[in-house]
Amino acid sequence: MRDRIPLPHRGRGQGEGAKGEGARGEGTRGEKARGEGAGVVPTELRLIGRTTDEARDLLEKYLDDAFLAGLPSVRVIHGKGTGALRRAVEELLASHPLIVSHRPGEPHEGGAGATVAVLGQS
């Protein structure tokens, strides 16, 4: 098993966010959303390189934070790989009470390596 060594910040979209492991402070175009008293919640969550268990935990917290911040939708970047992360994300979103709908990303959103979810109370 290889050790994970954190890399220094290398510009747009690289490195770990200061809050919420794996959550980035920027969307693809530097978009940020503000909730009342919730601080800044990014419009996307990158799960590439995470185990399915880590991804589920991070996604649960992220969805709660995004809903409280008033984000209308979020993008979850899971990558293509073996499809294990995509399936885990799909299963969680399908049964999550704060998700109204979800779909695979369009080509400009990351295609098969991303999922877009619409937040709201179902």
Side-chain angles (χ1 to χ4, degrees):
M1 185 165 132
R2 299 185 326 194
D3 292 332
R4 290 188 182 197
I5 300 171
L7 297 175
H9 188 275
R10 294 175 26 169
R12 183 176 158 263
Q14 300 291 321
E16 295 298 322
K19 292 184 180 179
E21 284 179 62
R24 302 295 194 246
E26 293 185 335
T28 54
R29 293 186 179 94
E31 310 133 30
K32 292 186 180 184
R34 292 192 183 275
E36 293 181 24
V40 177
V41 177
T43 57
E44 70 180 30
L45 175 68
R46 296 185 188 200
L47 299 174
I48 296 172
R50 304 289 185 172
T51 66
T52 55
D53 288 338
E54 289 173 332
R56 282 187 200 102
D57 292 343
L58 290 170
L59 184 55
E60 281 276 357
K61 181 179 181 339
Y62 174 69
L63 292 174
D64 291 342
D65 291 345
F67 178 78
L68 292 173
L71 292 178
S73 65
V74 295
R75 179 170 47 174
V76 181
I77 310 297
H78 43 69
K80 295 179 183 176
T82 64
L85 278 178
R86 180 188 52 78
R87 285 188 299 275
V89 166
E90 174 81 20
E91 289 171 11
L92 190 143
L93 294 176
S95 63
H96 199 283
L98 297 178
I99 300 300
V100 174
S101 65
H102 64 281
R103 62 175 173 75
E106 296 292 328
H108 68 279
E109 297 171 314
T115 299
V116 176
V118 177
L119 293 158
Q121 292 182 321
S122 53

